[in-house]
Amino acid sequence: MKLNSVSFIILSLSLIALSTTIVNAQQARESCNSTLSLNDLTFNATLLQCVEAWTLQNYILRYARTVENTWSFILSAPDSSAFIGIGFSTNGQMIRSSAIVGWIPSGGGAGTVKQYLLGGKSPGEVNPDQGDLTIVDGSLKIESVSSRIYMSFQLTAELPRQSLLYAMGPAGFFPTSPDYRLREHRFVTTTTINYITGSQSVVKGSPHSKLRKTHGLMNMFGWGIIVIIGAIVARHMKQWDPTWFYAHIALQTTGFLLGLTGVICGLVLENRLKANNVSTHKGLGITILVMGILQMVALLARPDKQSKYRKYWNWYHHNIGRIMIILAISNIFYGIHLAKAGSAWNGGYGFAVAVLALTAIGLEVRKFKNK
């Protein structure tokens, strides 16, 4: 009997705990049909349109133009002991966007809402109390109701930016004074919203990400790897004549075509992003392309081996090629820096350059010893 009583008590407690968990989970869930019960709003919440902004994380966005050129927003999300954020982007990218970020410490205390300038992907480049959103004074508010966080604010704009980014911070972390730095978020999604109809679409991958990646890879493999291999073949494989010559031509032509594709992608990308910080990168890229064209033209004007002009042609062809390779490697690393592509791109290309450099040095040593 005692055993049965203990089992009954354990089972009852388990059911109570399970019921409490289910109730809390249901309270934390919300839909556009849920009733708002918020305090201290400075606008009429009944006017707001509603969209399920981020279904996976149950982010709900309510908004409306409540006054001429004044837009009111309420972003709600489950209270997961983390900051929540909504970014307004001109091109769908995080970098150079402005965001509204808010949090309520899990240990109690007043909540905080701030505007941030998303200057880059590292925490040091995300700056508090900066950005180009015109926020109505006194409109930044945040409160917790039924296990959900409600962040409200008002913007002055004829029409807010339609590319929106939503983010959730790392669990248990809250920015603190004096710098209020954010850590890297756990989850993020990008959407495009039509404020008039209330329709939205989720952006799979950042806009132009495929074009950006194609631009980088084409230039990296074309100018930065294949052309270098072609130069190594021409310098150290001449004992296999004429195979080395045809291999050299094939490699340099392939590298040139890939590099040309990369430059074209870069010009299209610059036009679409309206980038204003790529003039040096662009200038180096065009210089490398012109050198590549000169090298291809030089092949057609190649003098015979017995010609007295052959030594001048060799000097021109070899040195233009060396300068082009140095510029290409430098510009690729500079492009990775501009794109803030991260350590994976730097490390991957750096490893490839290191392998090619060690190979070239080893072959130079062997060539010197043979002499």
PDB file of all heavy atoms in Angstrom, residues 112-135:
ATOM      1  N   THR A 112      15.264  47.343 -21.307  1.00  0.00           N
ATOM      2  CA  THR A 112      16.008  48.351 -22.067  1.00  0.00           C
ATOM      3  C   THR A 112      15.753  48.150 -23.549  1.00  0.00           C
ATOM      4  O   THR A 112      15.718  47.019 -24.044  1.00  0.00           O
ATOM      5  CB  THR A 112      17.525  48.237 -21.803  1.00  0.00           C
ATOM      6  OG1 THR A 112      17.756  48.329 -20.396  1.00  0.00           O
ATOM      7  CG2 THR A 112      18.291  49.344 -22.518  1.00  0.00           C
ATOM      8  N   VAL A 113      15.569  49.246 -24.272  1.00  0.00           N
ATOM      9  CA  VAL A 113      15.429  49.224 -25.733  1.00  0.00           C
ATOM     10  C   VAL A 113      16.372  50.271 -26.300  1.00  0.00           C
ATOM     11  O   VAL A 113      16.385  51.420 -25.841  1.00  0.00           O
ATOM     12  CB  VAL A 113      13.990  49.524 -26.181  1.00  0.00           C
ATOM     13  CG1 VAL A 113      13.865  49.368 -27.698  1.00  0.00           C
ATOM     14  CG2 VAL A 113      13.000  48.608 -25.483  1.00  0.00           C
ATOM     15  N   LYS A 114      17.154  49.881 -27.304  1.00  0.00           N
ATOM     16  CA  LYS A 114      18.112  50.798 -27.918  1.00  0.00           C
ATOM     17  C   LYS A 114      18.147  50.614 -29.424  1.00  0.00           C
ATOM     18  O   LYS A 114      17.852  49.523 -29.932  1.00  0.00           O
ATOM     19  CB  LYS A 114      19.523  50.570 -27.366  1.00  0.00           C
ATOM     20  CG  LYS A 114      19.747  51.107 -25.957  1.00  0.00           C
ATOM     21  CD  LYS A 114      21.200  50.904 -25.534  1.00  0.00           C
ATOM     22  CE  LYS A 114      21.449  51.605 -24.206  1.00  0.00           C
ATOM     23  NZ  LYS A 114      21.400  53.084 -24.346  1.00  0.00           N
ATOM     24  N   GLN A 115      18.522  51.687 -30.104  1.00  0.00           N
ATOM     25  CA  GLN A 115      18.827  51.580 -31.529  1.00  0.00           C
ATOM     26  C   GLN A 115      20.300  51.228 -31.683  1.00  0.00           C
ATOM     27  O   GLN A 115      21.150  51.731 -30.944  1.00  0.00           O
ATOM     28  CB  GLN A 115      18.536  52.888 -32.273  1.00  0.00           C
ATOM     29  CG  GLN A 115      18.849  52.783 -33.769  1.00  0.00           C
ATOM     30  CD  GLN A 115      18.517  54.036 -34.569  1.00  0.00           C
ATOM     31  OE1 GLN A 115      18.577  54.027 -35.792  1.00  0.00           O
ATOM     32  NE2 GLN A 115      18.161  55.127 -33.891  1.00  0.00           N
ATOM     33  N   TYR A 116      20.599  50.340 -32.655  1.00  0.00           N
ATOM     34  CA  TYR A 116      21.978  49.932 -32.933  1.00  0.00           C
ATOM     35  C   TYR A 116      22.275  50.130 -34.417  1.00  0.00           C
ATOM     36  O   TYR A 116      21.411  49.892 -35.276  1.00  0.00           O
ATOM     37  CB  TYR A 116      22.187  48.456 -32.591  1.00  0.00           C
ATOM     38  CG  TYR A 116      22.352  48.169 -31.117  1.00  0.00           C
ATOM     39  CD1 TYR A 116      21.243  48.075 -30.280  1.00  0.00           C
ATOM     40  CD2 TYR A 116      23.609  47.985 -30.547  1.00  0.00           C
ATOM     41  CE1 TYR A 116      21.378  47.810 -28.931  1.00  0.00           C
ATOM     42  CE2 TYR A 116      23.757  47.711 -29.192  1.00  0.00           C
ATOM     43  CZ  TYR A 116      22.642  47.624 -28.388  1.00  0.00           C
ATOM     44  OH  TYR A 116      22.791  47.362 -27.047  1.00  0.00           O
ATOM     45  N   LEU A 117      23.491  50.538 -34.698  1.00  0.00           N
ATOM     46  CA  LEU A 117      23.995  50.573 -36.069  1.00  0.00           C
ATOM     47  C   LEU A 117      24.766  49.288 -36.312  1.00  0.00           C
ATOM     48  O   LEU A 117      25.745  49.008 -35.617  1.00  0.00           O
ATOM     49  CB  LEU A 117      24.900  51.782 -36.293  1.00  0.00           C
ATOM     50  CG  LEU A 117      25.602  51.846 -37.657  1.00  0.00           C
ATOM     51  CD1 LEU A 117      24.572  51.962 -38.786  1.00  0.00           C
ATOM     52  CD2 LEU A 117      26.582  53.006 -37.711  1.00  0.00           C
ATOM     53  N   LEU A 118      24.318  48.505 -37.279  1.00  0.00           N
ATOM     54  CA  LEU A 118      24.968  47.230 -37.574  1.00  0.00           C
ATOM     55  C   LEU A 118      26.072  47.478 -38.601  1.00  0.00           C
ATOM     56  O   LEU A 118      25.902  47.268 -39.796  1.00  0.00           O
ATOM     57  CB  LEU A 118      23.932  46.223 -38.101  1.00  0.00           C
ATOM     58  CG  LEU A 118      22.658  46.093 -37.239  1.00  0.00           C
ATOM     59  CD1 LEU A 118      21.712  45.057 -37.845  1.00  0.00           C
ATOM     60  CD2 LEU A 118      23.009  45.729 -35.804  1.00  0.00           C
ATOM     61  N   GLY A 119      27.215  47.934 -38.111  1.00  0.00           N
ATOM     62  CA  GLY A 119      28.307  48.298 -38.999  1.00  0.00           C
ATOM     63  C   GLY A 119      29.092  47.128 -39.542  1.00  0.00           C
ATOM     64  O   GLY A 119      29.845  47.259 -40.500  1.00  0.00           O
ATOM     65  N   GLY A 120      28.959  45.944 -38.944  1.00  0.00           N
ATOM     66  CA  GLY A 120      29.683  44.752 -39.398  1.00  0.00           C
ATOM     67  C   GLY A 120      29.150  43.540 -38.660  1.00  0.00           C
ATOM     68  O   GLY A 120      28.152  43.604 -37.939  1.00  0.00           O
ATOM     69  N   LYS A 121      29.837  42.418 -38.831  1.00  0.00           N
ATOM     70  CA  LYS A 121      29.370  41.164 -38.248  1.00  0.00           C
ATOM     71  C   LYS A 121      29.986  40.867 -36.892  1.00  0.00           C
ATOM     72  O   LYS A 121      29.536  39.967 -36.192  1.00  0.00           O
ATOM     73  CB  LYS A 121      29.658  40.007 -39.214  1.00  0.00           C
ATOM     74  CG  LYS A 121      28.845  40.093 -40.496  1.00  0.00           C
ATOM     75  CD  LYS A 121      29.065  38.878 -41.382  1.00  0.00           C
ATOM     76  CE  LYS A 121      28.197  38.940 -42.625  1.00  0.00           C
ATOM     77  NZ  LYS A 121      28.382  37.756 -43.498  1.00  0.00           N
ATOM     78  N   SER A 122      31.013  41.594 -36.505  1.00  0.00           N
ATOM     79  CA  SER A 122      31.632  41.350 -35.205  1.00  0.00           C
ATOM     80  C   SER A 122      30.994  42.254 -34.154  1.00  0.00           C
ATOM     81  O   SER A 122      30.502  43.344 -34.482  1.00  0.00           O
ATOM     82  CB  SER A 122      33.138  41.606 -35.273  1.00  0.00           C
ATOM     83  OG  SER A 122      33.388  42.976 -35.546  1.00  0.00           O
ATOM     84  N   PRO A 123      30.972  41.837 -32.872  1.00  0.00           N
ATOM     85  CA  PRO A 123      30.340  42.642 -31.826  1.00  0.00           C
ATOM     86  C   PRO A 123      30.881  44.068 -31.741  1.00  0.00           C
ATOM     87  O   PRO A 123      30.126  45.000 -31.450  1.00  0.00           O
ATOM     88  CB  PRO A 123      30.644  41.848 -30.555  1.00  0.00           C
ATOM     89  CG  PRO A 123      30.793  40.431 -31.006  1.00  0.00           C
ATOM     90  CD  PRO A 123      31.431  40.518 -32.361  1.00  0.00           C
ATOM     91  N   GLY A 124      32.159  44.248 -31.989  1.00  0.00           N
ATOM     92  CA  GLY A 124      32.744  45.584 -31.909  1.00  0.00           C
ATOM     93  C   GLY A 124      32.252  46.537 -32.978  1.00  0.00           C
ATOM     94  O   GLY A 124      32.430  47.754 -32.862  1.00  0.00           O
ATOM     95  N   GLU A 125      31.641  46.001 -34.035  1.00  0.00           N
ATOM     96  CA  GLU A 125      31.144  46.840 -35.124  1.00  0.00           C
ATOM     97  C   GLU A 125      29.648  47.118 -35.021  1.00  0.00           C
ATOM     98  O   GLU A 125      29.071  47.754 -35.895  1.00  0.00           O
ATOM     99  CB  GLU A 125      31.457  46.174 -36.471  1.00  0.00           C
ATOM    100  CG  GLU A 125      32.935  46.035 -36.759  1.00  0.00           C
ATOM    101  CD  GLU A 125      33.221  45.209 -38.001  1.00  0.00           C
ATOM    102  OE1 GLU A 125      32.827  44.029 -38.035  1.00  0.00           O
ATOM    103  OE2 GLU A 125      33.833  45.750 -38.939  1.00  0.00           O
ATOM    104  N   VAL A 126      29.022  46.623 -33.963  1.00  0.00           N
ATOM    105  CA  VAL A 126      27.598  46.874 -33.714  1.00  0.00           C
ATOM    106  C   VAL A 126      27.515  47.918 -32.608  1.00  0.00           C
ATOM    107  O   VAL A 126      27.801  47.634 -31.448  1.00  0.00           O
ATOM    108  CB  VAL A 126      26.876  45.572 -33.318  1.00  0.00           C
ATOM    109  CG1 VAL A 126      25.413  45.840 -33.017  1.00  0.00           C
ATOM    110  CG2 VAL A 126      27.005  44.536 -34.435  1.00  0.00           C
ATOM    111  N   ASN A 127      27.130  49.139 -32.979  1.00  0.00           N
ATOM    112  CA  ASN A 127      27.270  50.283 -32.084  1.00  0.00           C
ATOM    113  C   ASN A 127      25.926  50.731 -31.524  1.00  0.00           C
ATOM    114  O   ASN A 127      24.994  51.026 -32.279  1.00  0.00           O
ATOM    115  CB  ASN A 127      27.925  51.447 -32.836  1.00  0.00           C
ATOM    116  CG  ASN A 127      29.299  51.072 -33.367  1.00  0.00           C
ATOM    117  OD1 ASN A 127      30.128  50.554 -32.628  1.00  0.00           O
ATOM    118  ND2 ASN A 127      29.535  51.325 -34.641  1.00  0.00           N
ATOM    119  N   PRO A 128      25.819  50.807 -30.173  1.00  0.00           N
ATOM    120  CA  PRO A 128      24.567  51.253 -29.556  1.00  0.00           C
ATOM    121  C   PRO A 128      24.361  52.759 -29.713  1.00  0.00           C
ATOM    122  O   PRO A 128      25.315  53.519 -29.887  1.00  0.00           O
ATOM    123  CB  PRO A 128      24.758  50.876 -28.087  1.00  0.00           C
ATOM    124  CG  PRO A 128      26.237  50.904 -27.888  1.00  0.00           C
ATOM    125  CD  PRO A 128      26.836  50.461 -29.187  1.00  0.00           C
ATOM    126  N   ASP A 129      23.075  53.155 -29.669  1.00  0.00           N
ATOM    127  CA  ASP A 129      22.691  54.573 -29.746  1.00  0.00           C
ATOM    128  C   ASP A 129      23.162  55.221 -31.038  1.00  0.00           C
ATOM    129  O   ASP A 129      23.413  56.426 -31.092  1.00  0.00           O
ATOM    130  CB  ASP A 129      23.234  55.349 -28.536  1.00  0.00           C
ATOM    131  CG  ASP A 129      22.704  54.790 -27.223  1.00  0.00           C
ATOM    132  OD1 ASP A 129      21.497  54.480 -27.160  1.00  0.00           O
ATOM    133  OD2 ASP A 129      23.504  54.626 -26.274  1.00  0.00           O
ATOM    134  N   GLN A 130      23.308  54.408 -32.071  1.00  0.00           N
ATOM    135  CA  GLN A 130      23.627  54.923 -33.405  1.00  0.00           C
ATOM    136  C   GLN A 130      22.666  54.277 -34.408  1.00  0.00           C
ATOM    137  O   GLN A 130      22.009  53.293 -34.109  1.00  0.00           O
ATOM    138  CB  GLN A 130      25.075  54.618 -33.784  1.00  0.00           C
ATOM    139  CG  GLN A 130      26.106  55.312 -32.919  1.00  0.00           C
ATOM    140  CD  GLN A 130      27.525  55.068 -33.408  1.00  0.00           C
ATOM    141  OE1 GLN A 130      27.771  54.917 -34.593  1.00  0.00           O
ATOM    142  NE2 GLN A 130      28.481  55.032 -32.480  1.00  0.00           N
ATOM    143  N   GLY A 131      22.618  54.829 -35.607  1.00  0.00           N
ATOM    144  CA  GLY A 131      21.721  54.330 -36.642  1.00  0.00           C
ATOM    145  C   GLY A 131      20.972  55.484 -37.275  1.00  0.00           C
ATOM    146  O   GLY A 131      21.011  56.621 -36.786  1.00  0.00           O
ATOM    147  N   ASP A 132      20.294  55.192 -38.383  1.00  0.00           N
ATOM    148  CA  ASP A 132      19.627  56.267 -39.121  1.00  0.00           C
ATOM    149  C   ASP A 132      18.108  56.200 -39.047  1.00  0.00           C
ATOM    150  O   ASP A 132      17.414  56.829 -39.844  1.00  0.00           O
ATOM    151  CB  ASP A 132      20.085  56.261 -40.587  1.00  0.00           C
ATOM    152  CG  ASP A 132      19.842  54.923 -41.270  1.00  0.00           C
ATOM    153  OD1 ASP A 132      19.198  54.047 -40.664  1.00  0.00           O
ATOM    154  OD2 ASP A 132      20.303  54.757 -42.416  1.00  0.00           O
ATOM    155  N   LEU A 133      17.562  55.425 -38.086  1.00  0.00           N
ATOM    156  CA  LEU A 133      16.119  55.420 -37.880  1.00  0.00           C
ATOM    157  C   LEU A 133      15.726  56.647 -37.063  1.00  0.00           C
ATOM    158  O   LEU A 133      16.364  56.961 -36.056  1.00  0.00           O
ATOM    159  CB  LEU A 133      15.683  54.151 -37.146  1.00  0.00           C
ATOM    160  CG  LEU A 133      15.987  52.819 -37.835  1.00  0.00           C
ATOM    161  CD1 LEU A 133      15.582  51.662 -36.935  1.00  0.00           C
ATOM    162  CD2 LEU A 133      15.280  52.722 -39.178  1.00  0.00           C
ATOM    163  N   THR A 134      14.669  57.318 -37.495  1.00  0.00           N
ATOM    164  CA  THR A 134      14.172  58.478 -36.747  1.00  0.00           C
ATOM    165  C   THR A 134      13.100  57.999 -35.779  1.00  0.00           C
ATOM    166  O   THR A 134      11.960  57.722 -36.165  1.00  0.00           O
ATOM    167  CB  THR A 134      13.597  59.539 -37.703  1.00  0.00           C
ATOM    168  OG1 THR A 134      14.590  59.898 -38.666  1.00  0.00           O
ATOM    169  CG2 THR A 134      13.178  60.775 -36.935  1.00  0.00           C
ATOM    170  N   ILE A 135      13.477  57.868 -34.504  1.00  0.00           N
ATOM    171  CA  ILE A 135      12.597  57.309 -33.484  1.00  0.00           C
ATOM    172  C   ILE A 135      11.860  58.439 -32.771  1.00  0.00           C
ATOM    173  O   ILE A 135      12.468  59.451 -32.397  1.00  0.00           O
ATOM    174  CB  ILE A 135      13.413  56.488 -32.467  1.00  0.00           C
ATOM    175  CG1 ILE A 135      14.153  55.353 -33.180  1.00  0.00           C
ATOM    176  CG2 ILE A 135      12.524  55.925 -31.375  1.00  0.00           C
ATOM    177  CD1 ILE A 135      15.143  54.619 -32.311  1.00  0.00           C
TER     178      ILE A 135
END
